[in-house]
Amino acid sequence: MTDTPVDQMSFEQAMKELETVVSQLERGDVALDQSITLYERGALLKKRCEDELKRAEEKVAAITLDGDGTPTGTKPVEGM
């Protein structure tokens, strides 16, 4: 577990640490107090990953085509 605040992590950093946390919890070889701390950190990391994915989805753009099928630009995806 790193000391980096979760809100300052990139998606990749948060996902990597979340995988480590899950692995430690699945092994079950940590004390109860440490398990609780790991679980709480994991919950924060999961939320960070979800928030970063949502932010990325909002930036996704659909390619617009003219009548001949030639790309003419992009537009924001609706409903995001």
Side-chain angles (χ1 to χ4, degrees), residues 26-59:
E26 285 178 339
R27 280 196 317 265
D29 59 356
V30 294
L32 179 60
D33 288 345
Q34 186 180 4
S35 292
I36 293 169
T37 300
L38 284 170
Y39 183 85
E40 290 170 343
R41 178 79 173 182
L44 292 173
L45 291 163
K46 178 183 173 279
K47 177 148 177 30
R48 176 65 176 179
C49 290
E50 290 172 341
D51 291 348
E52 286 299 301
L53 284 174
K54 183 176 180 180
R55 191 173 65 82
E57 287 173 354
E58 290 171 353
K59 290 183 175 183

Side-chain angles (χ1 to χ4, degrees), residues 58-79:
E58 290 171 353
K59 290 183 175 183
V60 172
I63 297 173
T64 57
L65 306 173
D66 64 14
D68 297 325
T70 306
T72 60
T74 61
K75 67 178 181 179
V77 175
E78 294 179 26

